[in-house]
Amino acid sequence: MLMRISSNKVKSIKQFFKQELKDIYPIEEIQGFIFLAFEHYLGYSKTDVLLNDEKTVSESELLKFNFLVKDLKKQKPIQYILGKTEFYGLNFNVAPGVLIPRPETEELVEMIIKENKDRNQLNILDIGTGSGCIAISLKKYLPMASVFAFDISKDALNIAQGNALLNDVEVNFEQVDILNYNEFSHGIMLDIIVSNPPYVLKSEKELMQKNVLDHEPHLALFVNDNEPFLFYKAIGAYAKEYLKDNGILYFEINEKYDHEIIAVFKEMGFSNCSVIKDLNGKNRFLRVNK
Ligand code: GLN
């Protein structure tokens, strides 16, 4: 049963969050929720939240905090509840039809920007774009590039389109199932192909957190145990046709299968493969040169 917030004061709202959520989330995470909620509903900065304990909010605002805590108790991700998140310093709208952008993926974007910022004209394709976070941040920080993005899901493409508008960049989105890409050709030769495809094995489900498993799109996360490299193979085949001879492939990968994924690309005739660790020291990214 949800308690009532004891008064309209900021300090009571903060207490309410901590009291109601302490059995489910660590205190640092609850503190993060408090900051995000006050920013979203009242436009408060972190300092405002810390320094205005005695300030009061209206009944209808109080109700919003109440509903938020109710949803958080169900372990619904706060990004879906508020409908937004930040990625690489940019704002993105998110909904349950797309994966919530991850910090690891920011590292992938950063690597691509660093390695390619001095090049002139670039054609970049993001396969399985979801919210559009990779494609849009690349276009924002490599403005001379032409950026294309595929997704199988119309729902995801609508969200991604909205995010391109929100960030004031032009990305060419196409509904493409990369496993059947023969139906689609834009005939453009690419310098870079990037993808964060589904790479979690269905048998790894039990290792995942409830908030991910119950709320995020399984289409974007999971592959069958008997075909763990399905998307890497399909993207490799696509790259054979549409990646320029000196082109580069960048991937996010399942840290447990770096050797196997490299073997997949070697077998397809790609030469230079390097695995890059993420900030947690896990083998998280793969760069393949054609
Ligand atoms: N890293 C994501 C997770 O842990 C998975 C992303 C993916 O499957 N591409 O939930």
Side-chain angles (χ1 to χ4, degrees):
M1 248 297 280
L2 206 63
M3 303 252 307
R4 271 187 57 82
I5 304 181
S6 64
S7 82
N8 286 32
K9 289 185 177 169
V10 167
K11 69 173 176 200
S12 306
I13 301 174
K14 293 200 271 189
Q15 265 164 12
F16 177 72
F17 270 74
K18 289 175 188 162
Q19 183 58 35
E20 291 294 314
L21 301 173
K22 69 177 184 324
D23 295 335
I24 315 175
Y25 301 99
I27 181 67
E28 302 77 30
E29 202 168 347
I30 299 173
Q31 192 60 55
F33 294 154
I34 293 171
F35 285 137
L36 282 171
F38 274 91
E39 192 268 327
H40 185 75
Y41 296 127
L42 300 168
Y44 280 24
S45 69
K46 286 186 184 174
T47 325
D48 291 339
V49 178
L50 294 171
L51 297 182
N52 290 290
D53 268 351
E54 298 302 320
K55 215 165 171 168
T56 56
V57 311
S58 72
E59 281 300 317
S60 66
E61 282 157 354
L62 212 54
L63 211 55
K64 291 179 190 164
F65 287 102
N66 241 311
F67 281 126
L68 174 60
V69 169
K70 212 168 156 187
D71 276 344
L72 287 170
K73 285 187 107 166
K74 293 183 204 147
Q75 305 215 26
K76 197 166 169 189
I78 192 158
Q79 296 90 338
Y80 288 152
I81 307 172
L82 304 181
K84 66 179 195 189
T85 192
E86 270 185 35
F87 179 85
Y88 209 68
L90 303 172
N91 293 316
F92 286 85
N93 292 326
V94 290
V98 296
L99 210 63
I100 297 165
R102 306 286 203 265
E104 305 87 279
T105 311
E106 292 183 321
E107 293 180 53
L108 177 66
V109 164
E110 172 138 297
M111 172 165 67
I112 300 173
I113 293 171
K114 270 199 180 142
E115 292 183 2
N116 297 281
K117 65 179 185 321
D118 298 326
R119 299 176 67 180
N120 286 328
Q121 221 286 315
L122 283 174
N123 291 330
I124 303 177
L125 170 65
D126 173 24
I127 298 178
T129 197
S131 64
C133 64
I134 297 177
I136 291 165
S137 344
L138 289 177
K139 178 64 187 170
K140 194 83 187 175
Y141 292 98
L142 298 171
M144 69 298 189
S146 300
V147 180
F148 303 85
F150 293 169
D151 206 286
I152 189 175
S153 154
K154 195 81 207 140
D155 200 17
L157 288 168
N158 285 335
I159 294 169
Q161 283 281 10
N163 283 328
L165 272 178
L166 182 68
N167 287 290
D168 200 19
V169 296
E170 199 182 309
V171 173
N172 306 283
F173 294 101
E174 288 288 346
Q175 187 174 19
V176 176
D177 172 6
I178 194 62
L179 302 178
N180 293 295
Y181 70 83
N182 284 333
E183 294 159 19
F184 178 83
S185 162
H186 57 36
I188 291 169
M189 292 303 285
L190 300 154
D191 298 278
I192 293 173
I193 297 177
V194 52
S195 184
N196 173 19
Y199 61 66
V200 182
L201 269 58
K202 288 200 173 139
S203 60
E204 294 178 304
K205 269 187 188 173
E206 58 220 51
L207 306 171
M208 295 184 86
Q209 287 181 330
K210 190 174 155 55
N211 54 358
V212 175
L213 211 49
D214 290 357
H215 298 281
E216 297 203 70
H218 287 199
L219 183 68
L221 285 168
F222 295 111
V223 279
N224 288 324
D225 283 49
N226 59 352
E227 299 176 300
F229 314 121
L230 182 69
F231 289 96
Y232 297 91
K233 287 181 181 163
I235 294 167
Y238 189 87
K240 288 246 137 192
E241 279 189 60
Y242 295 108
L243 190 65
K244 291 182 190 170
D245 281 342
N246 58 352
I248 315 172
L249 284 156
Y250 290 96
F251 292 104
E252 196 171 306
I253 61 168
N254 186 323
E255 82 264 19
K256 294 193 199 77
Y257 300 102
D258 54 326
H259 287 107
E260 289 85 342
I261 299 175
I262 287 181
V264 163
F265 284 101
K266 291 241 159 95
E267 197 168 304
M268 295 182 89
F270 293 92
S271 49
N272 241 319
C273 304
S274 30
V275 170
I276 298 104
K277 289 187 191 304
D278 65 17
L279 287 176
N280 295 320
K282 296 195 169 148
N283 291 331
R284 179 65 61 213
F285 313 109
L286 179 71
R287 184 200 304 103
V288 180
N289 289 79
K290 196 171 180 184

